[in-house]
Amino acid sequence: LPALATCSHQLSGYVPHRFHHRAPGRGKRLVLSRMFQPQNLREDQVLSLEGRSGELTCKSQRLMLQVGLIHPASSGCYHLLPYTVRAMEKLVRVIDQEMQAIGGQKVNMPSLSPAELWRATSRWDSMGKELLKLRDRHGKEYCLGPTHEEAITALIASQQTLSYRQLPLLLYQVTRKFRDEPRPRFGLLRGREFYMKDMYTFDSSPEAAQQTYSLVCDAYSSLFDRLGLQCVKVQADVGSIGGTMSHEFQLPVDVGEDRLAVCSGCGFSANMETLDLSPTNCPACQGPLTKTKGIEVGHTFYLGTKYSSIFSAQFTNVHGKPSLAEMGCYGLGVTRILAAVIEALATEDCIRWPGLLAPYQVCLISPKKGSKEEAATELTGHLYDHITEAVPQLRGEVLLDDRTHLTIGNRLKDANKFGYPFVIIAGKRALDDPAHFEVWCQNTGEVVFLTREGVLELL
Ligand code: ATP
Ligand code: MG
Ligand code: MG
Ligand code: MG
């Protein structure tokens, strides 16, 4: 115990000084000057980051590089920098809530996937060059998982005692996926290494599997509603995954690579690749079709027994007999969604975040150094402490822009570009009695002057 005490004493004695401004007796203040975030890059600087063969192909890629959200590592691979990781962790939290609300259980499967699993389904060859293949030191072949139908079905097949009473079984994970895309581009929208949420479901009958399918589709709709994204659910092709029924969740924006046909009359909607010709009239009601482009942010498949029959993934049915599981699989592009929200919500110059995903909720800007406003600087610090004490949900969500060598105007421009939902400035009126802070509500476009109490109430 004494040794431990010494040890912990030494550890707590290690203060990475200057990392946080500490006010005595108060919590830590997060300050922008200490954030790892290459900022304010010009377009040509951003382009040079992408390397000689690189190109800026869309708004989200340009903005994410400019404000230091991502940094190119190699073709189609990006370092996710701290702000992006925060946004992604928030997104994963919302995804977890939605998946667990319908009974989903989270697993995590290896990225290294043995070739024999893929040979069993013939996908070792049929997936073509998209599969990233490698050998270990013994010459054994693997691929880096682009999706996990094989792995999960083999896992379920290995369970000797799965009973109908345990079904439906909904297993999901959020992991890195690898696909050697022929043309990686559009930043996080189409990477060669990216994060996906993939869920796999096991049911005792086709009817039960259909119900599970609708349940997951509803959870996807609820997720996109909560993020404030107006996605459309369209009929889709089953592609290399296979199965008998499939839908995509598409975010209609211009940079999208998919072509969609939507009928406002009867609600019919489809990915154009599922339609034989390029029809002008709705195949369901003959009404006029609207054509738009979309980003595929999610994809659901009803698989039937396509995989369970190959691997013998069985459960014991009501009659005590082995029976093949009816499967579904459901993907969400996690890193793609982060870029897609920027495509949908940002202007050419300013990022806007859905409130649930903003890396930080509040940015406080203190006055420029050297001016007579040192008292206002102190006021900003106190406001910081008041906010984080009075609004527990905002602990760890408030950032102080302490780069006081820059004017308020310059820092406001940065904050505006970055898209913190709330930017609070301690300008001249902060020294009046009562002090008023200038508050920019970025998601509504309002600017208001509020007292400290007013700010707390607003937040
Ligand atoms: P796409 O048509 O855009 O190539 P896909 O149909 O090949 O996508 P799925 O196999 O359906 O993709 O994978 C499920 C989800 O994973 C997709 O809906 C998408 O959101 C995401 N995704 C697929 N490929 C990529 C990629 N290269 N980069 C980022 N996200 C991706
Ligand atoms: Mg693809
Ligand atoms: Mg697709
Ligand atoms: Mg797809």
Side-chain angles (χ1 to χ4, degrees), residues 190 248 250 258 271 273 296 299 336:
R190 184 170 298 286
E248 285 164 355
Q250 294 272 356
D258 287 296
N271 190 317
E273 65 191 21
E296 179 192 325
H299 200 161
R336 182 178 283 187

Side-chain angles (χ1 to χ4, degrees), residues 28 68 110 157 173 249 264 277 284 302 313 388 390 427 445:
K28 292 169 183 171
Q173 61 174 352
F249 287 76
S264 54
L277 294 162
Y302 174 49
T388 51

